[in-house]
Amino acid sequence: MDYTDEIRKRRTFAIISHPDAGKTTLTEKFLLFSGAIQVAGAVKSNKIRKSTASDFMDIERQRGISVATSVLGFDYNGLKINLLDTPGHKDFAEDTYRTLTAVDSVILVVDCVKGVEEQTERLMEVCRMRNTPVIIFVNKLDREGKNPFELLDELETKLNIKVQPLSWPISMGTSFKGVYNLYNSSLYLFRPGGVTVADDVLAIKGLDDPVLDQQLGDYAVKLKEDVELITGTHDPFDANAYLRGELAPVFFGSAINNFGVKELLDTFTEIAPTPGSRPTDQRTVSSDEKNFTGFVFKIHANLDPRHRDRIAFIRVCSGKFERNKMFHHVRMGKNIRFTSPASFLGARKSIVDEAFPGDVIGLYDTGNFKIGDTLTEGEKLMFQGIPTFSPEVFKELVNLDPSKSKQLTKGIEQLTDEGVAQLFTQQQGNRKIVGTVGVLQFDVLQYRLEHEYGARCRFETMAIHKACWVTADDERSMEKFCRFKADRIATDKDGNLVFLAESAWVLKTMIEANPEITFHFTSEFKREMQV
Ligand code: G4P
């Protein structure tokens, strides 16, 4: 198969949702349809119900295949699908944001009873920032949910995107009858607990087909009215608007009942984008370029204490990745060869000899990689759009066992490389401050520092509202600002200056009073400055 066919075959995406909307269930049904798994229950939910570190660790361990589940590869209709897993808990949202940099499109699951929830909105904002194409799946139609027209309105206003239903529900809850596919005019009849099989799908000749009345009785009248309203207010579906990230097609179904899932998967494979081009600090890299490029979007520690190594997940952006070939690690300026890169099929992990754009490979790492690192065949470029967000919760790291300071330093260095948290060193007093986007990470850090590095520590609350990176064109202005706010200045791991604002008011005042200083809320500025 030639190189461009390999690219055309690939679809790399993530399923995202507010916890409990049905992401795990939908993932499992996709894997069942593709034959990657044979039994239900094989995919473990990664949500953390009790929100404690040991829960998190237990879940990671129970998953066992936690590394493998970071990406689930499967074949469907002659295509190679890469489904990237995202954590369920909101405290790990940053991990999800980073995973979204490695996909070409997204399926967003919404619970029809709850509608658009907080986490859905935040995730969607990230997709909108990058114009990632989104398909929406409204789930749990076997329950009495919100009116579908109301839901469409809510999706459009809360998610700030134009939506277009490609299927339409016929009633819901106990009287749920099925969905009418507006895309190909077929009728899918619902049988609770059943699997949608060919017999349940009726190809009808539009809404005037008598089969519709025979099957649906009074519900047919309501369906015809609804469809008239939809077609009256929507233009025919524009797949290009979807690909530009301007229009989100909407499907209705019930993941647990396997209803509407195959239809969603079939449409997804038909319209979802193939691996696209990506911006770097030098130029845009197109997927069909022959030279290999890729970037690290996730680092996962192997939680098995007997094996300390970590796995860096690389998204291939262009060219062909080959096992045992020398590649250039741009940030470190050195060449590295990978002898056992891993690929993933369902829950199985295997050594891969080659990988193409859209694929995700796991590279065993002994400390060479940080999130955002780029590998090339020698060209000096760094992929952009993999930001670190300014953290929202801050605590001081206090060592409880001075004889283990080395272990603590090493542990916190490595864990912050993984993106679990960010480390700042306050200039006055050399205090180590850890910043995260959620409180759960502190428990996770403490647990992992103790169990993986033998270092005991405590985290002390600090009155910091936000940390933002500061830059200035003129060195003297920066020196003046740092002198003036000396007790509030720290450096991040790369030595960049960071301002620790004690309150939103202080931050606002500082921004207004210091026009010569630029305050940055994501780490993207570092790359801009390297150009
Ligand atoms: P998540 O990954 O997005 O967090 O959601 P998950 O798939 O774990 O689903 C959350 C709950 O919703 C599960 O129930 C699941 O069975 C249920 N669910 C998923 N799809 C549907 C659907 O189409 N209809 C209905 N009625 N329920 C659905 P649970 O009780 O929390 O877990 P479990 O004991 O069933 O595993």
Side-chain angles (χ1 to χ4, degrees):
M1 187 180 296
D2 96 351
Y3 176 67
T4 43
D5 287 336
E6 289 286 356
I7 302 176
R8 229 175 285 139
K9 253 178 73 173
R10 277 160 172 81
R11 303 286 183 279
T12 302
F13 77 112
I15 302 180
I16 54 175
S17 74
H18 190 93
D20 267 354
K23 180 171 78 75
T24 312
T25 313
L26 187 63
T27 303
E28 181 163 284
K29 302 297 175 188
F30 277 2
L31 294 180
L32 282 168
F33 272 122
S34 73
I37 57 169
Q38 274 74 44
V39 285
V43 179
K44 295 270 175 290
S45 168
N46 62 0
K47 67 190 155 210
I48 308 160
R49 288 183 196 274
K50 279 182 276 164
S51 293
T52 66
S54 55
D55 259 7
F56 171 74
M57 291 297 141
D58 280 352
I59 281 160
E60 288 292 286
R61 234 181 261 110
Q62 270 167 26
R63 286 166 85 194
I65 48 169
S66 64
V67 168
T69 47
S70 292
V71 48
L72 296 156
F74 59 92
D75 295 319
Y76 186 74
N77 279 351
L79 299 177
K80 182 162 189 297
I81 317 278
N82 296 310
L83 168 52
L84 273 52
D85 190 25
T86 53
H89 196 281
K90 76 169 176 14
D91 283 7
F92 292 86
E94 206 179 338
D95 202 15
T96 301
Y97 300 156
R98 280 194 294 257
T99 298
L100 292 181
T101 63
V103 300
D104 298 299
S105 72
V106 153
I107 293 181
L108 175 71
V109 185
V110 175
D111 181 331
C112 75
V113 182
K114 295 184 177 150
V116 175
E117 294 170 88
E118 187 199 335
Q119 187 71 356
T120 328
E121 279 182 74
R122 291 187 71 174
L123 290 164
M124 191 64 184
E125 268 169 37
V126 180
C127 295
R128 305 284 294 126
M129 265 158 57
R130 290 178 231 286
N131 300 321
T132 308
V134 175
I135 295 179
I136 299 172
F137 182 67
V138 179
N139 192 25
K140 307 197 185 179
L141 263 285
D142 57 320
R143 290 197 178 160
E144 299 299 335
K146 298 188 181 184
N147 173 300
F149 283 107
E150 242 175 69
L151 269 168
L152 289 185
D153 268 355
E154 189 177 323
L155 290 169
E156 213 154 70
T157 44
K158 288 199 174 163
L159 301 180
N160 188 25
I161 189 164
K162 233 175 129 221
V163 299
Q164 179 157 3
L166 291 192
S167 75
W168 195 250
I170 304 155
S171 190
M172 57 171 62
T174 44
S175 60
F176 181 47
K177 295 281 172 261
V179 294
Y180 177 68
N181 189 323
L182 294 150
Y183 194 52
N184 62 14
S185 304
S186 42
L187 186 65
Y188 290 69
L189 297 174
F190 176 67
R191 283 199 210 136
V195 176
T196 315
V197 289
D199 300 351
D200 301 331
V201 184
L202 300 176
I204 53 172
K205 294 180 207 72
L207 289 169
D208 296 329
D209 196 319
V211 173
L212 203 70
D213 297 297
Q214 277 164 23
Q215 292 288 337
L216 299 176
D218 289 348
Y219 291 103
V221 181
K222 174 84 172 79
L223 174 67
K224 285 177 200 173
E225 281 169 17
D226 285 356
V227 173
E228 210 168 287
L229 212 80
I230 296 161
T231 41
T233 47
H234 289 95
D235 294 329
F237 176 63
D238 177 1
N240 286 322
Y242 155 71
L243 291 174
R244 289 194 301 271
E246 293 165 6
L247 178 72
V250 181
F251 288 86
F252 292 85
S254 168
I256 196 98
N257 289 297
N258 229 344
F259 190 81
V261 175
K262 186 171 184 301
E263 189 194 356
L264 170 72
L265 186 56
D266 286 343
T267 313
F268 164 80
T269 48
E270 196 184 319
I271 65 172
T274 54
S277 44
R278 266 154 213 272
T280 75
D281 57 353
Q282 305 294 325
R283 60 187 186 83
T284 298
V285 170
S286 164
S287 57
D288 56 14
E289 290 178 22
K290 289 287 177 313
N291 283 342
F292 165 77
T293 62
F295 67 88
V296 178
F297 65 94
K298 183 178 178 119
I299 295 178
H300 207 305
N302 196 333
L303 294 164
D304 180 349
R306 286 165 304 170
H307 300 101
R308 268 304 162 68
D309 47 0
R310 309 187 296 175
I311 290 191
F313 287 89
I314 308 253
R315 147 94 196 205
V316 179
C317 297
S318 68
K320 184 158 85 165
F321 176 92
E322 285 169 85
R323 182 180 166 201
N324 286 325
K325 186 172 170 177
M326 277 287 187
F327 289 116
H328 187 63
H329 186 310
V330 179
R331 181 178 56 83
M332 295 185 100
K334 71 176 188 185
N335 295 332
I336 311 182
R337 188 200 307 275
F338 301 95
T339 51
S340 43
S343 79
F344 310 88
L345 183 73
R348 289 191 307 278
K349 187 167 67 176
S350 52
I351 301 275
V352 67
D353 288 318
E354 52 183 35
F356 293 91
D359 285 343
V360 170
I361 39 176
L363 302 178
Y364 289 95
D365 176 36
T366 48
N368 283 319
F369 288 117
K370 280 189 193 184
I371 304 274
D373 276 347
T374 299
L375 285 179
T376 68
E377 292 197 23
E379 193 174 351
K380 293 193 176 17
L381 52 82
M382 290 289 272
F383 281 95
Q384 290 186 305
I386 313 131
T388 304
F389 293 86
S390 66
E392 285 162 24
V393 190
F394 300 86
K395 294 193 183 200
E396 184 184 350
L397 176 69
V398 182
N399 188 0
L400 292 180
D401 183 354
S403 69
K404 294 280 169 65
S405 336
K406 259 199 189 148
Q407 285 85 336
L408 184 66
T409 309
K410 184 173 171 215
I412 199 77
E413 283 285 328
Q414 292 202 346
L415 294 180
T416 45
D417 277 353
E418 268 179 44
V420 180
Q422 292 178 60
L423 181 66
F424 305 104
T425 309
Q426 204 166 20
Q427 294 205 313
Q428 273 188 353
N430 210 22
R431 288 204 287 178
K432 298 264 181 262
I433 300 168
V434 174
T436 67
V437 288
V439 284
L440 187 57
Q441 270 104 331
F442 289 103
D443 295 342
V444 171
L445 279 173
Q446 203 167 14
Y447 183 97
R448 290 188 58 186
L449 283 167
E450 189 167 339
H451 289 83
E452 293 171 33
Y453 298 90
R456 285 192 313 115
C457 70
R458 178 161 54 87
F459 287 102
E460 256 174 37
T461 307
M462 295 186 81
I464 299 173
H465 161 72
K466 211 155 189 85
C468 41
W469 289 272
V470 282
T471 57
D473 291 336
D474 166 27
E475 238 172 72
R476 288 202 3 238
S477 315
M478 185 52 95
E479 268 170 33
K480 201 173 126 209
F481 179 73
C482 290
R483 243 193 341 268
F484 171 53
K485 296 300 294 176
D487 58 332
R488 288 276 150 191
I489 297 290
T491 46
D492 71 5
K493 282 179 81 176
D494 302 321
N496 297 294
L497 290 169
V498 175
F499 173 60
L500 308 170
E502 50 267 62
S503 69
W505 181 84
V506 169
L507 183 58
K508 187 170 167 277
T509 317
M510 283 297 129
I511 293 173
E512 281 166 10
N514 297 282
E516 66 290 353
I517 307 287
T518 316
F519 295 74
H520 307 268
F521 294 90
T522 76
S523 63
E524 274 296 88
F525 79 93
K526 294 183 199 171
R527 303 253 157 78
E528 284 154 26
M529 289 171 60
Q530 282 164 4
V531 184

